[in-house]
Amino acid sequence: MNVLKVPARTIAVFVLPCLLIYIGLVFVPIIVSVYDSTLEWDGINAAKHIGIDNFKTMFAHDAHFWPAVRHTLMYAVFSMLEIPICLFIAALMNRYVKKANTLVSLYFVPVVLSTVIIGQLWKTVYNPTEMGGMLNGILNSLGLDSWTHNWLTEPKIAMYCLYIVSLWQYFGYHLLIQFTGVQNIPQEVYEAAKIDGAEGFKSDWYITFPMAVPIFKISIVLAFIGSLQSFDLVWVMTGGGPAHATDTIATLMYNSSFTSYQYGYGSALATFLVVLCLVVTVIINAVFKKVEEKYS
């Protein structure tokens, strides 16, 4: 069979424009942000070079930094909890639901909604007043008055309320990814396993789940990295409050840069977030590489 060989120069002609745009929109801002992190600058007046002092302040003197890191990491961990559930549901839908694509599309609706709409919707659900708060209204009607709370204004539970909203919003997203992966598993494999006596959940355990590992990894990486950058939902629902109880790295970075006018310090937070995302991605890929080798 003759294979068409495309000259390297031709490939470069098509790749180079996109590569330049990608570098300009991604890598150049990162480099500029790293440089800005060494400055004491309000974004308007003359900047003063202070070396790594912003990072010293961030790690040792900012009382809100480590709580924000903890909230962000917990946000990321919670975002991954639904992925095994999505994989299990996808396996069941692939086997028992005839028009599964329609059902998956319905689950996907929250993903395409604006985060502002979702935030306002759930603020209504969490509204503490009897007239406007659906959750407290349901609890009151069930005689569970002691379970009612000011959900988004109590520091101990506000962050968990945001976790639930995020899980609800992206459930359909991860279900679609897992369902697509399960559908791509060849039926011949299941038929061969059926001959050997592996059916139902047993076939899922030994065939579906191991062969879905690459797709599972994609969901894990997307969920974790996306959650590390969580900003919009938190900003719409709580703004990082009450008393910084729902601050993430991204909201702390925004407040530092555009509210407190500490642009250099905000750039240091952005640099830390980029490094954290890279480290987490490398770790996840290393872990799943061993898992894929085990099942290959």
Side-chain angles (χ1 to χ4, degrees), residues 147-158:
W147 288 21
T148 60
H149 291 277
N150 295 326
W151 300 99
L152 296 178
T153 57
E154 294 184 20
K156 291 184 178 180
I157 63 174

Side-chain angles (χ1 to χ4, degrees):
M1 183 176 65
N2 294 325
V3 178
L4 178 62
K5 293 184 178 180
V6 181
R9 184 178 299 178
T10 303
I11 296 175
V13 168
F14 285 97
V15 172
L16 189 59
C18 296
L19 180 61
L20 291 176
I21 293 174
Y22 185 77
I23 291 174
L25 294 178
V26 178
F27 285 100
V28 172
I30 290 175
I31 294 172
V32 172
S33 182
V34 171
Y35 173 74
D36 289 344
S37 68
T38 64
L39 305 176
E40 182 180 347
W41 187 32
D42 60 4
I44 300 174
N45 298 310
K48 176 183 177 183
H49 193 275
I50 58 174
I52 62 172
D53 285 358
N54 281 325
F55 293 95
K56 291 180 180 178
T57 301
M58 182 172 65
F59 290 122
H61 303 294
D62 188 349
H64 305 305
F65 173 69
W66 289 113
V69 172
R70 185 177 69 252
H71 297 156
T72 303
L73 292 177
M74 288 180 63
Y75 204 115
V77 171
F78 268 86
S79 70
M80 295 189 300
L81 294 180
E82 65 184 344
I83 299 177
I85 300 173
C86 289
L87 177 56
F88 180 72
I89 293 176
L92 294 179
M93 291 173 61
N94 187 55
R95 180 180 295 112
Y96 297 114
V97 181
K98 292 183 178 180
K99 295 184 178 180
N101 290 328
T102 302
L103 187 59
V104 172
S105 300
L106 292 175
Y107 279 121
F108 197 76
V109 170
V111 181
V112 300
L113 291 178
S114 166
T115 303
V116 175
I117 294 175
I118 290 175
Q120 294 299 327
L121 170 66
W122 279 88
K123 282 177 73 174
T124 303
V125 173
Y126 286 134
N127 193 316
T129 61
E130 286 191 24
M131 295 297 294
M134 187 181 77
L135 181 55
N136 278 351
I138 292 174
L139 293 174
N140 286 327
S141 65
L142 295 175
L144 302 173
D145 300 27
S146 60
W147 288 21
T148 60
H149 291 277
N150 295 326
W151 300 99
L152 296 178
T153 57
E154 294 184 20
K156 291 184 178 180
I157 63 174
M159 199 70 210
Y160 294 98
C161 295
L162 296 182
Y163 298 150
I164 292 172
V165 179
S166 182
L167 291 174
W168 176 82
Q169 181 181 6
Y170 289 104
F171 179 83
Y173 179 73
H174 295 295
L175 180 61
L176 175 62
I177 294 175
Q178 300 306 311
F179 182 69
T180 303
V182 170
Q183 278 191 317
N184 288 331
I185 297 175
Q187 289 299 315
E188 293 80 3
V189 180
Y190 291 105
E191 292 172 1
K194 187 175 181 180
I195 295 174
D196 293 333
E199 295 185 78
F201 182 72
K202 192 174 182 180
S203 66
D204 286 333
W205 183 258
Y206 289 104
I207 298 175
T208 306
F209 299 154
M211 295 189 72
V213 167
I215 302 298
F216 190 84
K217 181 186 75 172
I218 292 174
S219 277
I220 290 290
V221 172
L222 291 175
F224 207 100
I225 300 304
S227 298
L228 290 181
Q229 304 171 55
S230 55
F231 171 79
D232 45 3
L233 183 66
V234 178
W235 191 255
V236 169
M237 294 191 67
T238 64
H244 297 277
T246 59
D247 251 341
T248 62
I249 299 174
T251 59
L252 187 62
M253 175 186 67
Y254 179 87
N255 282 321
S256 298
S257 300
F258 302 110
T259 303
S260 301
Y261 299 104
Q262 297 176 328
Y263 196 81
Y265 184 68
S267 297
L269 288 167
T271 301
F272 172 81
L273 184 57
V274 169
V275 173
L276 181 61
C277 290
L278 290 175
V279 170
V280 168
T281 302
V282 170
I283 292 174
I284 292 176
N285 283 327
V287 171
F288 274 94
K289 184 177 180 180
K290 294 182 179 180
V291 175
E292 289 173 358
E293 290 174 352
K294 179 179 178 181
Y295 289 107
S296 60

